[in-house]
Amino acid sequence: KEKHQSVVNQLSENGLAKGISILFNGFSGTGKTATAKRIAKITNRPLFCVDVEKVINKWVGDTEKGTKKIFDQYYEFSKECDLTPILFFNEDSIFSKRVEVGHSTDRTHNSMQNILLEQMELFTGISIVTSNHAEKLDKAFERRFLYKVEFEKPTKETQYSLLSNAFKNISSATIDNILLNNSFTGGQIYNIRKKYIMQSIIDDEDLESLFMRLCKEEIKTSTSTK
């Protein structure tokens, strides 16, 4: 707490913005949300989560009000906290690019972006935004993120470690076999493990076969398109 306050004071004295905003970008299932939650936990900071669906309202004018309200509520909540909370956007859709105005909805969208840009510029707290497609973010938001952290897919060695730890009764040969032509994110391994536990109780199936089947199903589900 003391170091954060010292940082805020020094930034202010040097004429710099006091807010600290971070962008987590990368593939789905690589641990962006889990990392944000972990950071909040190990620093004992509350995580103020934004429900994007509630902000984006179909009624013209309400979206702009909802956008400004996010920050107002965050600052009010901050007053109740011993440590500065983390403002968490687990969805980057409201940070999308501004568009050419052709409809009233376009004007509303751009107005929301302008409010977000203004609020991020004046922001005095700590924020984390997660994104699966940082290239779709409005360029004006880029400089407002002090840190940009890239979440890459785990290496084969890391995938092997994750699978070995999650499936201790599955042979290393079977894990090597499934990784020979397949790749998994942490989120996918989480899903496979959960289904594995459920199915091993429900069905009387060989565990090695069950493991292989669930892995292939997860890969097929993740790569299929409409």
Side-chain angles (χ1 to χ4, degrees), residues 162-178:
L162 289 169
L163 287 167
S164 298
N165 185 58
F167 303 95
K168 297 185 183 298
N169 55 348
I170 299 299
S171 68
S172 57
T174 299
I175 293 175
D176 282 331
N177 185 25
I178 199 68

Side-chain angles (χ1 to χ4, degrees), residues 39-223:
I39 289 173
K41 185 174 182 180
I42 64 177
T43 59
N44 293 315
R45 296 182 183 277
L47 201 63
F48 188 90
C49 301
V50 177
D51 187 341
V52 175
E53 289 300 319
K54 289 185 178 178
V55 176
I56 302 176
N57 196 295
K58 64 180 179 179
W59 301 109
V60 177
D62 284 0
T63 299
E64 295 98 309
K65 293 176 185 175
T67 304
K68 178 69 166 61
K69 195 175 181 181
I70 293 171
F71 295 89
D72 291 339
Q73 290 181 339
Y74 169 79
Y75 292 129
E76 283 299 314
F77 179 63
S78 298
K79 295 176 184 177
E80 304 170 9
C81 302
D82 183 46
L83 294 172
T84 302
I86 297 172
L87 176 61
F88 183 50
F89 291 88
N90 193 25
E91 166 70 61
D92 66 347
S93 62
I94 62 173
F95 291 89
S96 56
K97 296 176 181 178
R98 284 166 288 185
V99 297
E100 291 291 331
V101 177
H103 305 87
S104 60
T105 52
D106 296 333
R107 194 174 293 106
T108 298
H109 173 82
N110 288 347
S111 178
M112 180 179 69
Q113 303 309 301
N114 291 333
I115 292 171
L116 270 173
L117 285 166
E118 180 186 14
Q119 291 300 318
M120 292 295 285
E121 184 73 25
L122 301 172
F123 188 62
T124 59
I126 302 170
S127 70
I128 296 176
V129 176
T130 66
S131 175
N132 296 338
H133 302 283
E135 70 277 3
K136 293 183 179 179
L137 296 179
D138 194 298
K139 292 294 182 184
F141 285 114
E142 285 190 9
R143 72 176 181 82
R144 286 164 170 80
F145 291 114
L146 185 61
Y147 294 99
K148 303 172 186 70
V149 184
E150 193 72 21
F151 282 70
E152 298 179 347
K153 286 184 177 180
T155 62
K156 287 290 184 182
E157 291 77 10
T158 302
Q159 291 176 55
Y160 180 86
S161 297
L162 289 169
L163 287 167
S164 298
N165 185 58
F167 303 95
K168 297 185 183 298
N169 55 348
I170 299 299
S171 68
S172 57
T174 299
I175 293 175
D176 282 331
N177 185 25
I178 199 68
L179 287 176
L180 196 60
N181 298 307
N182 300 292
S183 183
F184 302 92
T185 65
Q188 288 175 311
I189 293 172
Y190 174 92
N191 286 343
I192 295 166
R193 187 182 184 206
K194 189 172 181 179
K195 287 187 285 188
Y196 176 85
I197 291 172
M198 292 170 61
Q199 293 302 124
S200 64
I201 295 170
I202 296 168
D203 298 326
D204 185 19
E205 184 178 353
D206 175 70
L207 295 181
E208 298 268 334
S209 300
L210 174 64
F211 171 76
M212 292 289 287
R213 178 171 65 82
L214 293 176
C215 285
K216 290 176 181 178
E217 285 179 1
E218 186 66 26
I219 289 293
K220 185 178 180 181
T221 303
S222 299
T223 56

